[in-house]
Amino acid sequence: MQAPPPSPLPSPDDPEAALAAVVALRLMADRLESSAVAAALEQGWSWAQIAQALGVSKQAAHKRLAAQVARPTHP
């Protein structure tokens, strides 16, 4: 029987590496979220739709993300 492939994440037994990975993953997730929200707004999504996709309230989504992204302006 073959051993499972190694995990790309560090072991929690190595707190320094594991916590550094947590920080890196949070930064990557934040960047992806901001980019996805900006794209959703550009495609005409409402804050209610974005909130539903993220599993949070409309108010929570807007409060946390509105400053990071700007709605496209139409001349």
Side-chain angles (χ1 to χ4, degrees), residues 6-74:
S7 171
L9 297 176
S11 168
D13 294 331
D14 181 357
E16 184 175 3
L19 294 172
V22 168
V23 171
L25 289 167
R26 284 184 180 147
L27 290 172
M28 288 174 34
D30 288 345
R31 288 183 193 133
L32 177 59
E33 183 180 58
S34 292
S35 296
V37 168
L41 290 170
E42 287 174 11
Q43 293 175 26
W45 283 39
S46 69
W47 280 105
Q49 289 172 298
I50 292 167
Q52 183 177 13
L54 292 172
V56 298
S57 72
K58 175 182 155 185
Q59 292 80 6
H62 188 268
K63 181 177 180 179
R64 186 163 52 90
L65 298 163
Q68 297 174 28
V69 296
R71 265 199 189 269
T73 56
H74 298 285

